[in-house]
Amino acid sequence: KAGVTQTPRYLIKTRGQQVTLSCSPISGHRSVSWYQQTPGQGLQFLFEYFSETQRNKGNFPGRFSGRQFSNSRSEMNVSTLELGDSALYLCASSLKTGKSQYFGPGTRLTVT
Amino acid sequence: KQEVTQIPAALSVPEGENLVLNCSFTDSAIYNLQWFRQDPGKGLTSLLLIQSSQREQTSGRLNASLDKSSGRSTLYIAASQPGDSATYLCAVEGTDKLIFGTGTRLQVFP
């Protein structure tokens, strides 16, 4: 069974631009969560989607948004990029809350 | 607010040693606790998941225990190998989301 895939793997953007990251979960998994990882803040929860509905949201500004499609694939969007948005963005999928989460390789975003 | 702490932050040991990594959390109302491994620049690999009703889980040389009442978990690594070098993260899942600790960076030298 294929694992969680994320595209693109690396991205360089300029301040003020916007970016869209994509995540394809493991087949059959309906829950997709997004996390931001930085050296200073560690791993922080962004949001979780289940069956196309956002179930939970972390403490991030409204510039961070996401959605989930009917095939469970998910995208996250960051608008008006700031230097501090440079991070590794990780996506994880699971069958449902309380079950093991399986992480993708991440998208490394650099904002210049 | 759930807070997860891992001690030590870094550990360097010779090959063959048995290790204990510690994780503590402040809110015992959790669904489960998960241990992950992260190699530099990579995503996370799930190692063990302990449901809140369980006390421990084992996989190969790894054993994780959970004491919900005291808010503690330990990851025991037996007979460490250089390939075990990585950052180990614990995470607790509560009613809404997964909260991660800051990790223990482990280096096992030959």
Side-chain angles (χ1 to χ4, degrees):
Chain A
K1 190 182 271 192
V4 178
T5 57
Q6 292 186 245
T7 57
R9 293 292 313 279
Y10 303 91
L11 206 50
I12 299 175
K13 289 287 188 178
T14 304
R15 268 183 308 174
Q17 288 186 315
Q18 74 162 15
V19 67
T20 299
L21 311 182
S22 180
C23 172
S24 292
I26 291 172
S27 177
H29 285 192
R30 296 166 65 188
S31 172
V32 174
S33 299
W34 288 88
Y35 299 85
Q36 180 196 64
Q37 187 176 33
T38 60
Q41 298 297 318
L43 263 160
Q44 293 186 287
F45 172 78
L46 279 158
F47 25 65
E48 180 198 4
Y49 286 87
F50 185 86
S51 294
E52 302 179 65
T53 301
Q54 185 181 87
R55 287 176 39 156
N56 296 298
K57 191 176 190 302
N59 296 323
F60 279 83
R63 299 184 297 107
F64 291 81
S65 63
R67 60 178 175 169
Q68 186 180 33
F69 301 95
S70 58
N71 61 358
S72 293
R73 190 178 69 86
S74 177
E75 290 181 345
M76 69 162 280
N77 183 276
V78 188
S79 62
T80 319
L81 284 165
E82 301 177 359
L83 295 178
D85 297 333
S86 295
L88 180 66
Y89 289 88
L90 293 164
C91 162
S93 77
S94 65
L95 282 169
K96 58 181 181 178
T97 301
K99 297 297 184 184
S100 293
Q101 294 207 9
Y102 296 88
F103 282 76
T107 293
R108 173 74 63 185
L109 172 65
T110 302
V111 182
T112 62
Chain B
K1 179 187 171 188
Q2 179 75 272
E3 292 183 3
V4 182
T5 306
Q6 290 187 246
I7 294 173
L11 192 58
S12 183
V13 300
E15 181 176 9
E17 278 208 2
N18 299 323
L19 311 169
V20 175
L21 307 183
N22 297 292
C23 172
S24 61
F25 49 96
T26 55
D27 185 352
S28 62
I30 63 171
Y31 284 147
N32 59 57
L33 183 143
Q34 221 170 333
W35 283 92
F36 295 89
R37 166 188 173 137
Q38 185 174 32
D39 292 286
K42 302 289 182 60
L44 277 64
T45 300
S46 178
L47 298 173
L48 291 164
L49 179 144
I50 312 176
Q51 300 289 353
S52 62
S53 58
Q54 297 175 319
R55 298 283 292 184
E56 66 179 324
Q57 281 288 338
T58 299
S59 176
R61 294 183 294 108
L62 304 179
N63 175 277
S65 67
L66 174 64
D67 184 343
K68 233 176 55 162
S69 61
S70 67
R72 293 180 185 176
S73 176
T74 60
L75 178 67
Y76 176 82
I77 304 176
S80 59
Q81 303 170 357
D84 294 331
S85 298
T87 296
Y88 290 80
L89 295 145
C90 73
V92 296
E93 185 160 16
T95 54
D96 54 0
K97 57 191 179 183
L98 204 60
I99 306 295
F100 282 85
T102 49
T104 294
R105 187 178 301 173
L106 172 65
Q107 182 181 10
V108 181
F109 54 89

